[in-house]
Amino acid sequence: MSTATEEAAELSGQTTHKWVYLFEEGSGDDKSLLGGKGAGLCEMTHAGLPVPPGLVVTTEACNAFFENDKNFPAQMWEQVQEGLQRIEEKVGKKFGDPQNPLLVSVRSGAAFSMPGMMDTVLNLGLNEQTVQGLAAQTGDLRFALDAYRRFASLFGEIVMGVAHEKFERVMDRYKAQTTGGRDTDLKPKHLRDIIAAEKQIILAEQHAIPEDPYEQLRVAIAAVFNSWMGRRAIDYRRINRIPDSLGTAVNVQAMVFGNMGQDSGTGVAFTRNPSTGKKELYGEYLLNAQGEDVVAGIRTPNPISQLKKELPKVYDEFAAITGLLEKHYHDMQDCEFTIERGKLWMLQTRTGKRSGAAAVRVAVEMVGEKLIDRATAVQRVSPEQLDQLLHPTVDPKTKATVLATGLPASPGAAQGQVVFSPDEAEELARENAKVILVRQETSPDDFHGMVAAQAIVTARGGMTSHAAVVARGMGKPCVSGANSLDIDYSQQQFSVNGTVVTKGEWITVDGSTGRVFLGQVPTMQPTLGPEFHELMSWADKFRRLRVRANADTPRDAKVARQFGAEGIGLCRTEHMFFGDQRLAAMREMILAEGVGAREKALEKLLPLQRGDFVGIFREMVGLPVTIRLLDPPLHEFLPNAEELLSELSELKMAVRLATTLGDMDNLLDEIDEKRRLLKQVNRIREANPMLGFRGCRLGLVFPEVTRMQCRAIFEAACLAQGEKKKTELEIMVPLVSLSEELHQQREVIDEVARQVMGEYGMTIEYRVGTMIELPRAALMAHDIAAHADFFSFGTNDLTQTTFGLSRDDSARFLPNYVERKILPEDPFQVLDRDGVGQLVRLGTERGRSVKPDLKVGICGEHGGDPSSIAFCNEIGLDYVSCSPFRVPVARLAAAQASLAAKE
């Protein structure tokens, strides 16, 4: 119980636990106890606005209900009955009275808005006797019967669990018998028949609506409690990271009726446009209708502006009230209302859900209107909302078929024709075709196809798989780990749940939600207006953490700088070896037998790397650039052994079918080459390559590789400096676990630096550091720091090695772990603070114990996750580094972390 409400209970002399609050008793600040809807109703009641009287059963009661094996806690039901008596006194009606019946609505109301996720019952209290009393009370038999049929269907669906479609079919059958075919055309005889049919449907499922109104209320409250643990509510909370432990409140409120004629109605409106943020009353209403008619699409609602013509006094009153509510709450409001015979009643006010574009515009404009300050504006926009602005999104109104759902690996939306080969993707893209590359998983060999594709879909892999990391870096939508896809390369098709999609068919990928749609689904392009840049300038003033980008090419660097990156925190040199010419030279180096052959191959790679580095330095003038030396296992640059065997089989078959000696000789030469390659692939194959010959181990055994890369880096730095394009150069040694590894690699780096600077007659300032991505490195950071100018935590591999998880293979079971609450989040998406986070904290503290001014950051994918950024801010890191398209999100999250730390 919150302090304000607890004190109120004590002052009133209550000795038992207070489970129920009348609207006039509750506090508008008590959202955690009364739910957002209940707190809003209490606040509006205190303000003297026209709110039908009611009561709130608290979230504590909901949690107690589940703790008590789905039984109400002691005294709760008695408090509900007592509250109901107070409502009866206010409205002059009696619950269950056949002559003058009080009807109530029963609605859910969690602390966080969860639109459409839980359940509502209207017109509760009706039975065969009270419906006659309602008809006499209002002088309108049709209205009373219409209210009863609505109650029967809602109660049957929400409380009894009967499928909504069964009631809908009954309505459609009887509406078809009317002249207009609308629900408002139904006559009393139709309505009586519908009620009888609805009751029969419920009875057929071994249920019956209780005739006792109190029993109706009791089971309806229980049903709302149960809806908190319904599948849709659980899914919504998981996606929006809302704790299950909060519970829902239940609002029991005297009914007011919008279905009493053309001077009655119901509607929903926002104080600003929730899509654009424009300052205008935005919403819909229906005359002669009840609440669910607007949202269920039973009839087409009218825009709220039309209410000014039909009921001008009501419109003016509503506009004035919503204006007051927005000023009171200092935020956009979502309001529900009912008009009963010309009188306006307010049924809800809550913070309105809004799009990313609207969130930014509303926040900035409210600062201009002096409703909020800049710090509040920065905190008001969520990182997820900001992310929407940076990528195309699927039109939320779409009703397209969802083929499959995987991991939302890289945000944005794109349409394209399905292709299964990266070569074909590239060929079709040259002809201006839009394609989507569908693969079991991707490898560096697929890079050209990924570049050509509008989006990527993989059946395997996780949030930090090759496909995910590369797609995020390019700003391309990607869905990974869509394991329901059965991909058949030989037939050039994939199937899912009986649907077969062949090469060339159109699909739409929504990387923001992890969904793959059949066909061309409408998408919306983002626009970055002046409000975006204004908000980001405020965020930059509040944050302490610097934000860099992971960028591997001059193009990536340019995009990163445009999005406000303050340098490059991770340039992965291995990504520069993608592409046919470069990959061929890289393979030549890997397969070389002896130092001489290896150095010859490296000579081909040096100018290519040097050119890339020059381009990056030109884009990042005046900013730090951290270049990581070669890190991945060498097998990643070679063809897959199984694919080579398959190709050999195909070549042998072709030899048998060859018609000329020339063709046969060419095929035999190709077979010899494939066999040689297969032999070399098998020679360097490792049982566990991610823990094998990679990173600094490669540079220590083959120092010529480190020398080539460092020569390319320092020559590029000299060329850039000659053009007055100086940067802050940082060279990072990967996968260090022993201080001597870094020491020896640093000696090679320093030696090459002296050579190149002597040749160019220049002095290049540079730092040498290491990526901390192994638990031992974090534990021994005080030793390693002796040879390091900076640390950068590679949290992708650090998570992998701390948990003992393969980040690709774990996609099979991690979602199950999260669903079963074994893990609160996927640790590859949100930094595991208790385990991996403690290694980051410890490594930072131990490193700085030796070098107090040691610069420390993170460069894993966690660098773009708001929760992980907050942790980095908390433990005093200097910077985070993330994908270019996540830079604005990281800037905002860093500002919010700084502001939260000051509260």
Side-chain angles (χ1 to χ4, degrees), residues 504-527:
E505 287 192 56
W506 284 84
I507 61 172
T508 301
V509 175
D510 185 355
S512 302
T513 63
R515 294 178 298 171
V516 180
F517 296 87
L518 184 63
Q520 294 175 269
V521 178
T523 59
M524 300 182 297
Q525 290 296 321
T527 53

Side-chain angles (χ1 to χ4, degrees), residues 858-878:
I858 71 166
C859 60
E861 290 300 307
H862 298 103
D865 170 64
S867 171
S868 308
I869 290 169
F871 179 74
C872 293
N873 185 74
E874 177 189 317
I875 64 173
L877 298 196
D878 296 299

